[in-house]
Amino acid sequence: MEPKTYSTIELRKRMGEILDRTRIAGEPAAITRKGKTLAYLVPAEWFEQYVAQGRAAAVGDPRAPVWGGLVGFGRAAAGAGGPGGTADPTPSRCQRRKNL
């Protein structure tokens, strides 16, 4: 199923409707800003299945990044730190402010 695309402005104006379409009708949504996809909104069941499949795939693979209960998802896949991941060498904004 091809996700329907919404800009961040549309999302702000029609949040309830978009959430209902995703939850009730099972329609995924792509959220964009300036023409670039920022995120996908999917039904909770889809995401829960994704997480369960990722955990099952990671069992027995010590190299699989696991962080915050999500396997290979978002920043954890890029090595954001936490158990099983590697720390990001780039300091955060808060860390940079502390160094000033």
Side-chain angles (χ1 to χ4, degrees), residues 90-100:
T90 308
S92 70
R93 276 191 236 170
C94 292
Q95 290 169 332
R96 286 193 298 260
R97 286 185 191 147
K98 287 179 186 176
N99 293 335
L100 293 177

Side-chain angles (χ1 to χ4, degrees), residues 5-15 18 32:
T5 303
Y6 298 95
S7 70
T8 53
I9 294 170
E10 285 178 293
L11 180 65
R12 283 186 221 143
K13 290 179 182 176
R14 301 170 48 198
M15 176 67 85
I18 295 168
T32 63

Side-chain angles (χ1 to χ4, degrees), residues 26-43:
E27 296 178 6
I31 311 304
T32 63
R33 179 183 291 153
K34 298 181 182 176
K36 292 185 180 183
T37 303
L38 299 177
Y40 290 96
L41 182 62
V42 296

